[in-house]
Structure formats: C-alpha cells, structure tokens
Amino acid sequence: MCGRYAATANPDELIEEFDISVIEDDMAAVASPRYNIAPTDDVPAVLERLTDGAPVRKLVPLRWGLVPSWSKAPGSGMINARVETVAEKPAYRRAAAARRCLLPALGYYEWRSETQAGAPKPVKQPYFLRRPAGLFVMAGLYEFWRGPEGWLASTTIITTEATDELGWVHDRMPMTVPRESWGDWLDPSFTDAAAAVALLEVPADLAPVKVSRAVNTVGTDGPQLIEPVAGEQEEIPVPPGE
C-alpha cells in the first residue's frame, strides 16, 4: 500500500519530462514541493483527454482517494487499487479501461512495527522509499464524481505485492509505468484494461531509508522528513539481523 508520499518536481520540470501540452489553471495549489502528501490532498497528475477527437496531454490536480461516479458521497475515497483485481472490480474497471494517469513522485512512505529503546511497546516506524535518481512515476487511475457543489476529479494508486527485498517493510508497493509505455497507458482510446495493466512494472531499484516519525503527523512538511534518522545507515537493503 501507499499511504503517504512526496512530490517535489515543479510544473516546468513536469512539462518537459512528460511532453505536456496543457496545464490546468489550478495547478498552482499543488505546484510547490511537498514531502508529506496525505489522502484527500490534491496531487499533480499527468493524463490525456480527447479534444476534437485528438488526445491532449495535460497536467492536472486530482484529489487522492478515488471516488467512483456512482458513490453517494465522496468520503475519503480509495487511495490504493490492487493490480490483481483492478480490471474487474466495479469501482475501478471503467477507469482502468479509459481513465489512466501518471502520478509523478519523489518517493513514498511505509510503516513497520518496531521495538525501540525506551519505548514501552512497539512503535510504527516510517521508512521512505525512493529510486537512486529520477522521478518515481506511479501508475494511477482517475474518476469523476458529481456532487451538489460540482465535479470532483479523484485518483488512486495501483499497488502490487511487494518484492522479497522490500516485503519486510510492507507487503504491498506501488506499481510504475515504464517510460516507453507512457503513451499507451495514457491513451484514452486504448480501452483494453487487462492489456493496459500488463504494461505496468514492479520497481526493482527502490531503497528504503528509516526516517523521522515526524512524518506521522498530517500537516508536517519539509525536506527534513526524508532525511535518514541520525545514527542509521542511509540504505537498508535487507531486514535488520538477517
């Protein structure tokens, strides 16, 4: 699963990286670097919509937590969608067929229960997982929901079973879209959901770093949240003691 993440690329960088043609006016609200993005926050997303019959690539803000079009109320939405069932579940299958997006990130957080000196019981210790370089481009779906105050556009992150190397941190992890598949993944005319999902890959180069528990508090932000805890090794490729 992915319950928090960081996104620091500015719109100009994303425009160049993803060859974006249109930026929505309200992108300014999510354009600044953020190191503690939480469910229900607006996040930057890359998607394609048909305009006069041709796909146009856009950079837009989407609310994290997908709300199906048939929901009675938005609530907090569904922040993650399992790849194993995303093409069949009613909440996701229509989006998987025609409303797919890219969610650029710096990395994401996971928590594991650990015993720490001086603590009377195990604590939830956060880890930040990121690639050695470059963006971490998560696979997402988006949906539109109409309520009394207008339209809500929301998104979810597609997850899979964690690799053996990272399963000790958490048993699920986000899936990514390889660069060579961005065009097909975003193409709204490519409506074979199963074939689209087959484009996704499991990231193999993530490194977990133990970070401060300050990230546990929603609203706390800043680059200090992704810095290794003092005294800890910078990368922990295997579970401690193994």
Side-chain angles (χ1 to χ4, degrees):
M1 109 167 245
C2 174
R4 302 275 183 87
Y5 71 94
T8 59
N10 64 47
D12 289 339
E13 293 171 326
L14 297 177
I15 289 168
E16 182 176 356
E17 181 74 8
F18 296 100
D19 193 22
I20 290 165
S21 300
V22 175
I23 304 180
E24 291 202 351
D25 294 338
D26 44 2
M27 271 304 299
V30 297
S32 60
R34 291 181 295 159
Y35 294 85
N36 195 5
I37 295 172
T40 73
D41 285 348
D42 284 347
V43 300
V46 179
L47 54 83
E48 287 187 0
R49 300 290 291 171
L50 293 177
T51 301
D52 297 327
V56 175
R57 191 166 295 185
K58 299 183 176 184
L59 180 62
V60 305
L62 298 176
R63 180 181 184 265
W64 185 20
L66 187 138
V67 180
S69 60
W70 38 261
S71 293
K72 294 182 178 179
S76 58
M78 305 168 184
I79 65 171
N80 294 156
R82 287 178 169 259
V83 69
E84 297 89 345
T85 55
V86 72
E88 292 85 29
K89 279 204 167 185
Y92 307 121
R93 62 189 178 198
R94 291 172 59 187
R99 287 183 289 279
R100 301 177 295 268
C101 63
L102 304 174
L103 300 170
L106 179 65
Y108 70 101
Y109 300 91
E110 289 294 3
W111 284 258
R112 71 190 300 264
S113 181
E114 294 184 357
T115 301
Q116 296 188 356
K121 58 182 180 180
V123 300
K124 290 292 186 180
Q125 173 61 50
Y127 287 78
F128 187 66
L129 296 93
R130 65 182 298 179
R131 282 183 156 154
L135 287 173
F136 182 58
V137 184
M138 299 184 290
L141 306 176
Y142 67 98
E143 190 57 272
F144 296 103
W145 178 83
R146 188 170 186 176
E149 298 180 0
W151 288 97
L152 172 67
S154 60
T155 188
T156 189
I157 297 169
I158 298 178
T159 67
T160 189
E161 184 176 347
T163 61
D164 291 342
E165 293 78 12
L166 296 177
W168 63 274
V169 181
H170 196 278
D171 61 355
R172 304 289 297 180
M173 64 190 299
M175 297 202 78
T176 59
V177 185
R179 180 182 291 271
E180 64 271 17
S181 298
W182 288 355
D184 288 334
W185 178 253
L186 295 176
D187 186 355
S189 66
F190 180 29
T191 58
D192 186 331
V197 169
L199 299 172
L200 304 182
E201 66 180 14
V202 179
D205 57 351
L206 294 177
V209 176
K210 182 182 284 191
V211 296
S212 168
R213 283 191 284 151
V215 73
N216 296 3
T217 303
V218 174
T220 305
D221 206 347
Q224 73 279 0
L225 296 181
I226 66 172
E227 292 298 321
V229 172
E232 296 289 340
Q233 64 188 79
E234 184 173 352
E235 296 181 1
I236 307 176
V238 295
E242 290 194 4

